[in-house]
Amino acid sequence: MSGAERLAVVKSPDAMGPLLELLDELLEQTHAAGRADLAGRLGISRARIADPRVRLVVVGESKSGMSTLVNSLVGSPVSATDGQVSVPVIAEYGPESTATLVKSLSGGRAERQQVDPRIAVAELDAEVVLRAEFTQPSPLLAEGFVVLDAPGSPADTPATWSLLAAADAVLYVADAAAPFTKAQIDQLQRIQQVCPTVICVLNKIDQFPQWPQVQQHDRQLLDDAGLAFAVAPASAQLHEQATATGDPQLDLESGVPQLLDHLRAYVLARADLVAADAAVRDIRLITDHLALALRSEAETLRDPRRYSVITEQLRRTREEAEQLRQRTANWQVTLADGAGELMADTEHDLRHRLRSLIRDAEADIMKRDPARRWSDIGAELDAKICEAVEENFVIAHYRSVELSEQVAAKFPDSGIPSPDLRLDSPGDVGEVLEPVAALDSLVSAKPGVTQQVLTALRGSYGGVLMVGLATSLLGMSLVNWYSAGAGILLGVNALWDDRKARTQRRQAEAKMAVARLMDDVIFQVSKESRYRLRAVQRALRDHFTEIATETLRSVDASLRAAEEAAAVHSGTRREQRLTEIETSLVRLRDLRERADAVVE
């Protein structure tokens, strides 16, 4: 079966419905066996299958029409389109339109404020607003999408990578004026390493008639880079006009309906496939746990003389499971050491990259007066900082996945399910999003004409007076050609020294501004990195502890079942119980086979 056919099968209600029935059927058996822990895992799997939320993060280049496209997808104005710097926006489904602004308060506290959705967009550029959360009765959101509008390109702000950490899929928006640059391709490669599902959108095709050639060129560039991303042409502006006029043909020309269909058929279906795979893995794990106790009981009933052998094997298994739960277990030590090394290495990598940027910036500042090109220095530095943060983020993500694999390798069972290392919910994303202050402006600006004249006069005054007094002894006037020449010479020298001193003062001030900016970046990015890595450590610890606990409980249940079976002396009762066990094992085997058939 091809990938597309498999997605279509999993997406169809006829396929998801039987999987829900399998989970419900297994849930009854876990309750009957008294395994509340396994029932809790099944409940989470069922909730994931019944309502798989797909977090769609929209990023893009500035002035690419990204905010207009977000509003078109949601069907309501939730993102500012006036070109001003905005804040992260989270839009999810709700029966009514609501808007909540999360504002920063003194002391690092945050306040949630309900506002009218009609005026919320106008307040998104306020300095105190950290993020905006909307609920809308949108058809796209009703299908399970949660749209997260990032504040600009990942190259514009490191905070965007916190959104990408929670993404199920990414929409990368660029206008159709020109093909992707090398910097954009490099950025897409880094995004792909964090979130494999990426769709490129060529926006504003109504303004650039050469968009087919640009689309073809972009596809070639992506293929050459090994990125199998779709490139979808669209015009959010045409979509808005078509919606206002009710023109279906114009709407098709906008490309937005085709983009929505692709999101449903590709992104939403893939999310369902991931949820179905996770559910089937849980079904396999839980059927193994339930079957362990049943097989132990059945073997004891068939041959009570093997009771001691069976219980001895189970006790050894129990000791192994108990060891897995202890803090000195191999996986616990691997997790603790690996998490500590990961945090230290990630922070060291970030500091090393930023210290290199500081040295390069200081060397550039000392070449000439920074006041003449301070804005260019700031723009170049911001771009380099964002690139360094991107690379540091990708390294941390890859190292987190490696740590998960290293911990899983310490378990004897190679088929244990993997934990989800993403942030848990869209609300958690906003908790780590805080802006980094921009590069400070230079206070000691260049002197004006009047100030330069006064400096020259102060310098020339001494030369005129000194030489004039000396020449007056020869009978010459105080102001003569010699004293005037000396005044001009010393005036020019004073002006030159003043300019040199001011340049040095601006260079020192510029280096201090760069150092303050780097301190802010290190503080903020390190905070977000530690938050994310601690969340990874907690997720791994809780996940593998739960698996060890479930194994221990399964072994305890098997021991109890073996003891109860050994106490059965009636042949009729023994045969009756064996029949019940065989029936249960057949049901579990049949249930597992049907679950495997869903995702084959």
Side-chain angles (χ1 to χ4, degrees):
M1 183 180 294
S2 67
E5 292 172 342
R6 186 184 179 196
L7 291 175
V9 169
V10 174
K11 177 60 181 173
S12 65
D14 293 338
M16 299 302 286
L19 188 55
L20 290 173
E21 293 177 1
L22 293 176
L23 291 171
D24 291 337
E25 183 179 342
L26 186 57
L27 192 60
E28 293 178 2
Q29 297 189 45
T30 55
H31 283 306
R35 297 299 302 275
D37 55 329
L38 299 181
R41 178 184 286 273
L42 279 177
I44 296 174
S45 296
R46 195 188 190 289
R48 190 187 300 121
I49 287 293
D51 183 24
R53 292 162 62 84
V54 178
R55 288 172 282 193
L56 181 66
V57 175
V58 184
V59 299
E61 300 299 320
S62 60
K63 302 185 184 304
S64 63
M66 180 181 64
S67 298
T68 306
L69 181 63
V70 169
N71 294 338
S72 296
L73 296 176
V74 175
S76 300
V78 296
S79 185
T81 58
D82 55 4
Q84 299 181 4
V85 177
S86 186
V87 299
V89 172
I90 302 173
E92 55 187 329
Y93 177 76
E96 297 180 356
S97 297
T98 65
T100 303
L101 299 181
V102 181
K103 298 184 177 181
S104 62
L105 302 177
S106 59
R109 294 176 295 115
E111 176 189 46
R112 300 175 63 86
Q113 179 182 354
Q114 291 282 130
V115 297
D116 189 338
R118 294 172 295 183
I119 65 172
V121 176
E123 301 182 18
L124 293 184
D125 59 346
E127 293 183 358
V128 296
V129 177
L130 296 178
R131 69 182 183 276
E133 301 173 357
F134 290 86
T135 64
Q136 293 289 341
S138 163
L140 183 70
L141 301 180
E143 296 180 30
F145 280 100
V146 178
V147 178
L148 295 89
D149 181 14
S153 167
D156 296 332
T157 169
T160 300
W161 287 90
S162 295
L163 289 173
L164 294 174
D168 295 297
V170 174
L171 277 187
Y172 185 86
V173 184
D175 62 43
F180 291 139
T181 63
K182 184 181 184 303
Q184 289 175 307
I185 294 295
D186 293 341
Q187 190 177 97
L188 284 169
Q189 288 179 324
R190 287 191 286 268
I191 292 175
Q192 189 264 347
Q193 292 175 330
V194 176
C195 178
T197 305
V198 181
I199 301 171
C200 300
V201 179
L202 287 185
N203 199 16
K204 301 183 179 181
I205 59 174
D206 57 319
Q207 301 180 21
F208 304 102
Q210 74 275 20
W211 70 262
Q213 292 78 16
V214 174
Q215 181 188 31
Q216 184 177 2
H217 195 175
D218 283 342
R219 284 174 175 165
Q220 184 62 46
L221 291 173
L222 292 172
D223 290 341
D224 293 342
L227 302 174
F229 298 160
V231 182
S235 172
Q237 195 71 33
L238 282 183
H239 178 70
E240 288 187 348
Q241 296 177 10
T243 303
T245 60
D247 188 345
Q249 182 61 34
L250 185 62
D251 199 20
L252 287 176
E253 293 177 4
S254 71
V256 174
Q258 295 89 323
L259 176 60
L260 293 173
D261 290 341
H262 184 75
L263 290 174
R264 295 186 182 99
Y266 179 69
V267 176
L268 191 60
R270 185 173 294 274
D272 287 341
L273 177 61
V274 171
D277 284 339
V280 170
R281 286 196 300 270
D282 286 338
I283 290 175
R284 293 168 182 163
L285 180 67
I286 292 171
T287 53
D288 287 342
H289 281 295
L290 296 178
L292 178 63
L294 293 174
R295 291 194 184 99
S296 300
E297 184 179 1
E299 290 179 10
T300 305
L301 287 172
R302 291 190 186 99
D303 188 0
R305 292 172 298 181
R306 298 191 68 248
Y307 169 71
S308 59
V309 176
I310 295 172
T311 55
E312 181 62 25
Q313 292 176 346
L314 289 174
R315 286 192 178 95
R316 286 199 298 268
T317 305
R318 189 187 190 285
E319 290 176 0
E320 294 175 357
E322 182 63 37
Q323 291 175 359
L324 287 175
R325 294 182 65 225
Q326 296 176 2
R327 297 180 64 88
T328 55
N330 287 338
W331 74 267
Q332 293 268 29
V333 175
T334 300
L335 175 59
D337 293 345
E341 292 175 0
L342 176 57
M343 291 183 187
D345 291 347
T346 301
E347 186 163 1
H348 178 269
D349 177 79
L350 176 66
R351 290 180 178 273
H352 174 72
R353 293 177 187 276
L354 295 184
R355 288 183 65 180
S356 299
L357 293 183
I358 291 177
R359 288 193 293 267
D360 293 343
E362 289 179 347
D364 190 27
I365 288 171
M366 295 304 295
K367 290 180 180 178
R368 47 191 178 275
D369 189 352
R372 301 178 181 178
R373 50 195 179 85
W374 189 237
S375 60
D376 295 336
I377 291 177
E380 294 175 3
L381 190 58
D382 286 344
K384 291 179 180 179
I385 289 174
C386 287
E387 183 177 354
V389 172
E390 290 174 12
E391 294 174 351
N392 178 261
F393 187 98
V394 172
I395 290 174
H397 176 78
Y398 260 39
R399 288 284 303 276
S400 299
V401 175
E402 290 178 355
L403 178 60
S404 175
E405 295 173 350
Q406 292 170 3
V407 175
K410 299 299 180 180
F411 281 74
D413 185 4
S414 60
I416 60 176
S418 302
D420 187 357
L421 298 183
R422 297 174 308 167
L423 295 176
D424 293 333
S425 66
D428 294 335
V429 178
E431 300 299 329
V432 297
L433 293 177
E434 293 183 9
V436 176
L439 189 64
D440 295 338
S441 58
L442 296 182
V443 177
S444 56
K446 295 180 63 177
V449 176
T450 302
Q451 191 172 6
Q452 295 184 51
V453 170
L454 292 177
T455 299
L457 289 177
R458 283 195 298 269
S460 63
Y461 174 77
V464 171
L465 184 62
M466 178 179 60
V467 176
L469 289 175
T471 54
S472 64
L473 298 177
L474 301 176
M476 302 176 65
S477 63
L478 183 65
V479 179
N480 54 64
W481 288 106
Y482 299 103
S483 63
I488 293 173
L489 180 63
L490 292 181
V492 171
N493 184 70
L495 185 61
W496 175 261
D497 288 343
D498 180 71
R499 287 182 176 179
K500 183 178 179 181
R502 286 179 178 275
T503 298
Q504 293 175 345
R505 189 160 58 248
R506 283 192 291 271
Q507 289 173 337
E509 185 180 344
K511 290 194 289 186
M512 287 296 296
V514 170
R516 285 194 298 270
L517 174 63
M518 292 302 182
D519 285 342
D520 289 341
V521 172
I522 291 174
F523 175 79
Q524 179 59 29
V525 177
S526 296
K527 172 201 167 187
E528 295 185 13
S529 179
R530 287 193 297 269
Y531 171 90
R532 187 168 52 252
L533 295 178
R534 286 197 187 101
V536 169
Q537 183 180 10
R538 286 193 296 269
L540 293 176
R541 181 196 61 203
D542 296 343
H543 175 78
F544 291 108
T545 299
E546 182 181 2
I547 289 177
T549 302
E550 290 171 354
T551 303
L552 182 63
R553 289 175 179 172
S554 296
V555 175
D556 288 339
S558 300
L559 283 169
R560 287 193 301 269
E563 291 173 358
E564 294 173 358
V568 175
H569 301 291
S570 171
T572 304
R573 173 57 183 159
R574 182 180 293 112
E575 292 299 328
Q576 182 182 358
R577 181 55 184 160
L578 277 172
T579 302
E580 293 175 356
I581 292 175
E582 289 297 334
T583 302
S584 298
L585 288 173
V586 168
R587 289 180 60 192
L588 288 175
R589 184 166 55 251
D590 177 66
L591 191 149
R592 179 166 180 163
E593 290 175 355
R594 285 186 291 161
D596 290 338
V598 171
V599 293
E600 284 182 354

